Amino acid sequence: RRHTTKEALATYQAAINAGFENINIDLIYGLKGENLDNWERNLTKISELKPASACLYYLRLKIGTADYSRYIKHPEEFPTEDQLLLMHIMTFEFMEQSGYKQEMVDWFIRDSKYFHVYQQHNWQKTDEVELLGLGASAYSYINGVQYYNFNDIDHYGKTVRNGKLPIWKGEKLESTDERMRRTLMLGLKSKLFRHDFARVYGIDVVDTFQGTMCRLCDLGLLDVQRDYIELTYLGKLFADEVGK
């Protein structure tokens, strides 16, 4: 992100002054030069600002990005895996102590009235409700097709002005098995209700993936209840690994 801390705080205050109540703050940890002390300062600032919600997630180093290239050349400039895991744990613990409830793995809300319906559709009802993403880098899921818009804002705008769809790439989920796996993978980021899964696919999610469920339960990563399945505290710490 190219904005400064001062600019971010000024924008937050401007939104408050304009009368917005449901404001979300996004923060990424694991950036170049970051350590446990400055991440703690970030968390402390959130507790002072008291936004309605906060999305706090760690940096994913993707091949082809500037951060990835820098990491390959100078890994010492980035937090170690142990430090990153500690930041992950710090986030969970600090947000709970600050009065926030963890609704998704990386999303914390201060009051249930601030719950974003989008979040529920994006994670819990992923194959029931179609999702249309607008804007650069947004993704959509419509009629079994998941597609992504161009990341570059100028390219996105130029394509739209030319009357074309600003789609970078897409993928058609051909089989029911693919769709069920997608629903399970995304649903575990939150809480997957078994009756929702059964209503869409006509089969219970635990019966469908019984072997996987048993392994995850044995590892202490998954909690299976009569009405729902969700990650345990340990499971949430390794949510991306569980999803794979």
Side-chain angles (χ1 to χ4, degrees):
R1 306 296 186 265
R2 293 186 175 92
H3 59 264
T4 65
T5 300
K6 184 177 179 180
E7 290 170 336
L9 292 174
T11 301
Y12 179 84
Q13 190 58 52
I16 293 292
N17 295 341
F20 289 100
E21 294 183 8
N22 196 347
I23 302 174
N24 180 79
I25 288 180
D26 267 26
L27 285 181
I28 300 175
Y29 51 97
L31 300 169
K32 181 173 73 73
E34 191 165 37
N35 55 45
L36 298 177
D37 289 337
N38 60 32
W39 181 239
E40 183 179 11
R41 288 196 294 272
N42 277 304
L43 292 173
T44 300
K45 193 63 180 179
I46 290 178
S47 68
E48 294 172 355
L49 294 174
K50 293 183 174 59
S53 63
C55 289
L56 309 170
Y57 40 91
Y58 64 85
L59 177 68
R60 274 77 168 178
L61 291 168
K62 297 181 179 179
I63 297 176
T65 63
D67 282 327
Y68 181 83
S69 300
R70 185 71 182 180
Y71 176 76
I72 294 300
K73 294 179 180 178
H74 301 284
E76 74 281 356
E77 295 180 354
F78 291 79
T80 65
E81 289 189 9
D82 286 345
Q83 289 173 326
L84 196 60
L85 183 57
L86 278 173
M87 291 178 189
H88 210 29
I89 295 171
M90 286 168 61
T91 301
F92 285 14
E93 299 294 334
F94 196 98
M95 294 304 290
E96 181 180 356
Q97 293 172 15
S98 299
Y100 285 81
K101 181 181 179 182
Q102 188 177 22
E103 283 289 348
M104 313 293 168
V105 170
D106 302 316
W107 186 54
F108 305 83
I109 63 173
R110 186 158 48 85
D111 190 302
S112 58
K113 70 180 180 180
Y114 297 125
F115 185 85
H116 302 174
V117 174
Y118 155 78
Q119 292 279 13
Q120 183 184 42
H121 290 174
N122 192 33
W123 304 111
Q124 293 180 337
K125 298 187 176 183
T126 177
D127 214 53
E128 283 188 85
V129 182
E130 295 186 328
L131 181 68
L132 175 63
L134 303 175
S137 79
Y139 79 88
S140 303
Y141 184 70
I142 298 176
N143 195 28
V145 178
Q146 183 162 309
Y147 61 86
Y148 304 84
N149 292 347
F150 293 120
N151 293 327
D152 184 85
I153 294 177
D154 292 334
H155 192 179
Y156 177 92
K158 182 179 179 180
T159 306
V160 171
R161 287 192 294 272
N162 288 336
K164 299 179 180 179
L165 293 174
I167 298 174
W168 169 43
K169 65 177 182 178
E171 180 181 6
K172 172 71 173 178
L173 301 185
E174 299 289 352
S175 68
T176 300
D177 182 68
E178 286 181 305
R179 289 169 46 225
M180 287 194 297
R181 290 181 183 278
R182 179 182 184 274
T183 298
L184 175 61
M185 181 186 70
L186 295 177
L188 284 180
K189 292 281 187 175
S190 174
K191 177 187 290 186
L192 183 60
F193 290 96
R194 297 172 69 169
H195 59 81
D196 287 337
F197 190 96
R199 183 170 63 250
V200 175
Y201 299 110
I203 189 171
D204 181 64
V205 64
V206 176
D207 294 337
T208 306
F209 301 102
Q210 190 172 44
T212 300
M213 298 287 179
C214 288
R215 288 195 300 273
L216 292 175
C217 287
D218 289 343
L219 291 170
L221 300 171
L222 189 66
D223 179 25
V224 176
Q225 298 292 331
R226 187 178 69 175
D227 297 327
Y228 63 86
I229 60 173
E230 66 176 348
L231 296 174
T232 62
Y233 180 90
L234 181 64
K236 289 178 180 179
L237 290 176
F238 298 99
D240 286 344
E241 288 76 9
V242 172
K244 294 176 182 178

